[in-house]
C-alpha cells in the first residue's frame, strides 16, 4: 500500500448548530443504518437542527455504498463502508472549532475488515486498530493489523502497519446504540489472577483490578462494554442464549479508576445494552422475545414505514437475533453520585443520544427531545426537531 493511497481526502466544514439550552454549543447528528447482513444499503447523513427540522450538512456515505459499521468516541465517529466488505473508513471529527469530514482507504490490498477496536496510546491520541484478514481457498488466511491515528486535525492522520508505541495502552469505547439495531463497540478480554487483560490486533494490553469474588484469581472471560478516563464497564461472559433468555437481569461490573474499586450494577433485562457518557451509564432495557410479542408503541408499528435512510422500523426489530423486546425504558445511572433516573416512554423506538452536563438529548420515534436531568427525573422536556429521518439517527456529536 503506497503512502499516496493513505492520504486523507479531507473536506473541512464549519456549520452552526444549536442546542436550545446553550446557544454556544453545536450539535451534530448522524443518521445511518448498517446493513452488513442485508442486501439493501442506505446512506450515512450528517445533520444539524434548524427551526425544529433536520438540516442536511453532508451525505457522508451514498446509498450506493452503504454502511458496515459505525463507532463513536469522544467527538469522533468512524464509519466503515461499503456495507458488505468495507474498504474505506470515513471520519467525522467534532472536537475542534471546524467540523472535519474525511476518508481513508482500508484493506485495499484485498483484505477484509473483521474487527475494530478503539485504543488510546500514550502521547499519540485517539487511534483505531483494524484487524484485516486476507486469503483464498487455495492458501492459508493471512492476518495483518493497521492502525489509523485520529490525530487532530484529521488531514494529518496516517495509516501505519505497526504500533509505534509501548505495549501499555488503554482500550476506549462507548458501548452500544440503543436503537432497534445494535451498532456498538465491545472487546473480549481475559481475567487472570484478579486482573483484566485486553488483547487487540496490535498487541495492546492494559491490566486493571477486577471485582473480588469466588472467581477472582481464576481465568475467566468477559466483554468490555464501555470505557473512559474514569470508568470501565465490563460484563463476565455467561452461558447459552437459553440461559440468557431465562434470566430477568444481568450484572455489569464498574471499575472506578479514581477509587480503584469495582462495583456491580444490576441491569433489568437480560439483553439490555449500555452506553457510557461521562459519569452517566445509560441503560436501554431489552428483554428476550422468543414468543415474538409486538414491540410497544403506535408510531413504531403503524406510522413508521421505510425511508430513504432506513427500512421500516418494525423490520429492524423483527430481524434482531436473538429475538428482542424493547419496552421503551431507559435508565440513566450516575456512577459518581449513585443518582438514577428512569425514562419510560412506552415506545419501543426510544433512544438516549447523549448527556451534556445536566442536559440529556433523546429520541422517541420521529422526535428529537432535550430535557434537564433532575434528582430523579427528566424535567422541562422539549421537542427540538421532528422529521421522518429522525428515526435513523443513532449518534450525536457535540461540537465546540
Amino acid at each position: 500500500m503506497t503512502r499516496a493511497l493513505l492520504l486523507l481526502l479531507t473536506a473541512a466544514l464549519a456549520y452552526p448548530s444549536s442546542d436550545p439550552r446553550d446557544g454556544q454549543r453545536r450539535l451534530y447528528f448522524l443518521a445511518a443504518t448498517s446493513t452488513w447482513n442485508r442486501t439493501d444499503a442506505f446512506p450515512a447523513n450528517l445533520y444539524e437542527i434548524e427551526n425544529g427540522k433536520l438540516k442536511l450538512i453532508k451525505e457522508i456515505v451514498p446509498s450506493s455504498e452503504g454502511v458496515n459499521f459505525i463507532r463513536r468516541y469522544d467527538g469522533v465517529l468512524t464509519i466503515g463502508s461499503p456495507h458488505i466488505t468495507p474498504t474505506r473508513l470515513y471520519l467525522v471529527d467534532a472536537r475542534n472549532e471546524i467540523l472535519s469530514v474525511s476518508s481513508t482507504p482500508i484493506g485495499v490490498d484485498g483484505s477484509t475488515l473483521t474487527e475494530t477496536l478503539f485504543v488510546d496510546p500514550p502521547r499519540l491520541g485517539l487511534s483505531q486498530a483494524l484487524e484485516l484478514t486476507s486469503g483464498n481457498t487455495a492458501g492459508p488466511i493471512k492476518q495483518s493489523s493497521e492502525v489509523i491515528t485520529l490525530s487532530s486535525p484529521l488531514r494529518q492522520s496516517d495509516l501505519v502497519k505497526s504500533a509505534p508505541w509501548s505495549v501499555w495502552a488503554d482500550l476506549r469505547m462507548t458501548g452500544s446504540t440503543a436503537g432497534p439495531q445494535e451498532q456498538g463497540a465491545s472487546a473480549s478480554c481475559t481475567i487472570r489472577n484478579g486482573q483484566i487483560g485486553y488483547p487487540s490486533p496490535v498487541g495492546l494490553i492494559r491490566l486493571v483490578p477486577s471485582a473480588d469474588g469466588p472467581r477472582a484469581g481464576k481465568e475467566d472471560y468477559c466483554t468490555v462494554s464501555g470505557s473512559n478516563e474514569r470508568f470501565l464497564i465490563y460484563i463476565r461472559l455467561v452461558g447459552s442464549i437459553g440461559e440468557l433468555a431465562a434470566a430477568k437481569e444481568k450484572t455489569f461490573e464498574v471499575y472506578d479508576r479514581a477509587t480503584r474499586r469495582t462495583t456491580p450494577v444490576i441491569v433489568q433485562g437480560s439483553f439490555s445494552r449500555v452506553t457510557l457518557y461521562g459519569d452517566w451509564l445509560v441503560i436501554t432495557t431489552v428483554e428476550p422475545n422468543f414468543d415474538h410479542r409486538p414491540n410497544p408503541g403506535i408510531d413504531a408499528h403503524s406510522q413508521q414505514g421505510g425511508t430513504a435512510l432506513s427500512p421500516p422500523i418494525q423490520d429492524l426489530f423483527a430481524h434482531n437475533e436473538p429475538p428482542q423486546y424493547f419496552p421503551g425504558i431507559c435508565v440513566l445511572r450516575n456512577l459518581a453520585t449513585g443518582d438514577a433516573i428512569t425514562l419510560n416512554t412506552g415506545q419501543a423506538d426510544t433512544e438516549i443520544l447523549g448527556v451534556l452536563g445536566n442536559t440529556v438529548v433523546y429520541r422517541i420515534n420521529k422526535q428529537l427531545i432535550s430535557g434537564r436531568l433532575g434528582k430523579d427525573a427528566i424535567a422541562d422536556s422539549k421537542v427540538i426537531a421532528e422529521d421522518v429521518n429522525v428515526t435513523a439517527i443513532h449518534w450525536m456529536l457535540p461540537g465546540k
Side-chain angles (χ1 to χ4, degrees):
M1 188 182 298
T2 66
R3 186 174 181 81
L5 288 175
L6 305 179
L7 295 177
L8 291 175
L9 308 175
T10 302
L13 309 170
Y15 301 97
S17 186
S18 60
D19 179 344
R21 302 180 182 279
D22 183 358
Q24 304 302 312
R25 198 69 185 260
R26 300 173 179 173
L27 294 181
Y28 308 104
F29 298 89
L30 182 74
T33 303
S34 64
T35 54
W36 58 270
N37 59 348
R38 298 169 60 106
T39 57
D40 48 359
F42 299 90
N45 286 352
L46 191 66
Y47 293 97
E48 60 180 333
I49 297 174
E50 185 175 274
N51 298 323
K53 294 290 183 181
L54 295 181
K55 178 183 177 182
L56 181 66
I57 295 176
K58 182 179 180 62
E59 181 186 72
I60 299 174
V61 179
S63 58
S64 59
E65 296 180 11
V67 174
N68 181 277
F69 67 87
I70 303 100
R71 301 287 185 261
R72 176 181 61 82
Y73 173 90
D74 237 7
V76 178
L77 287 169
T78 60
I79 307 167
S81 179
H83 70 120
I84 298 298
T85 303
T87 58
R88 180 162 292 276
L89 189 70
Y90 293 86
L91 312 173
V92 183
D93 188 345
R95 295 173 296 176
N96 306 304
E97 294 293 336
I98 302 297
L99 175 69
S100 297
V101 180
S102 60
S103 69
T104 188
I106 57 174
V108 294
D109 293 330
S111 54
T112 301
L113 178 68
T114 58
E115 185 176 0
T116 63
L117 295 175
F118 289 110
V119 295
D120 191 12
R123 299 176 300 279
L124 289 183
L126 175 66
S127 296
Q128 183 170 21
L130 309 173
E131 183 177 355
L132 305 171
T133 302
S134 61
N136 53 61
T137 56
I141 294 178
K142 297 181 180 180
Q143 291 186 326
S144 63
S145 298
E146 296 181 352
V147 178
I148 296 176
T149 301
L150 306 182
S151 57
S152 181
L154 286 176
R155 65 176 61 89
Q156 295 179 8
S157 298
D158 199 3
L159 190 66
V160 295
K161 282 293 184 181
S162 60
W165 55 80
S166 166
V167 297
W168 298 101
D170 197 5
L171 196 63
R172 304 288 191 184
M173 58 187 60
T174 55
S176 301
T177 58
Q181 272 194 325
E182 187 170 13
Q183 304 178 84
S186 63
S188 297
C189 56
T190 302
I191 300 176
R192 285 194 185 94
N193 300 320
Q195 293 187 318
I196 298 178
Y198 298 67
S200 84
V202 290
L204 303 177
I205 189 169
R206 174 73 168 182
L207 299 178
V208 299
S210 69
D212 295 329
R215 303 171 83 173
K218 299 179 180 179
E219 184 171 333
D220 196 4
Y221 296 95
C222 64
T223 298
V224 177
S225 303
S227 175
N228 61 19
E229 289 75 10
R230 179 168 178 181
F231 296 105
L232 169 72
I233 314 296
Y234 67 96
I235 185 169
R236 295 174 186 268
L237 299 184
V238 296
S240 65
I241 293 296
E243 290 175 309
L244 273 176
K248 301 296 183 183
E249 59 190 29
K250 62 182 177 181
T251 301
F252 288 88
E253 298 183 54
V254 179
Y255 174 69
D256 188 332
R257 304 177 198 272
T259 63
R260 298 191 175 185
R261 294 179 180 176
T262 305
T263 305
V265 173
I266 298 176
V267 171
Q268 297 301 309
S270 58
F271 290 163
S272 292
R273 306 170 183 176
V274 297
T275 307
L276 193 58
Y277 297 103
D279 290 345
W280 290 94
L281 178 65
V282 174
I283 303 158
T284 303
T285 303
V286 186
E287 303 168 358
N289 195 18
F290 289 98
D291 55 356
H292 299 285
R293 293 171 289 170
N295 277 286
I298 296 175
D299 285 345
H301 292 278
S302 64
Q303 297 179 20
Q304 290 189 19
T307 71
L309 302 183
S310 177
I313 194 71
Q314 60 267 31
D315 187 40
L316 293 178
F317 281 129
H319 280 83
N320 276 314
E321 186 59 41
Q324 300 170 23
Y325 179 80
F326 292 73
I329 299 174
C330 295
V331 179
L332 298 100
R333 295 190 59 156
N334 191 303
L335 300 176
T337 66
D339 293 342
I341 297 173
T342 298
L343 174 67
N344 189 345
T345 68
Q347 297 285 326
D349 197 17
T350 297
E351 182 171 5
I352 292 178
L353 298 175
V355 179
L356 308 170
N358 68 342
T359 297
V360 59
V361 179
Y362 58 101
R363 181 179 67 80
I364 304 177
N365 299 317
K366 293 178 284 188
Q367 294 182 331
L368 284 175
I369 302 169
S370 175
R372 177 175 53 82
L373 294 173
K375 179 66 177 178
D376 54 9
I378 297 175
D380 304 328
S381 292
K382 178 182 179 180
V383 176
I384 57 176
E386 184 167 0
D387 192 287
V388 65
N389 289 327
V390 166
T391 60
I393 289 176
H394 307 292
W395 298 269
M396 181 183 76
L397 283 181
K400 294 294 184 180

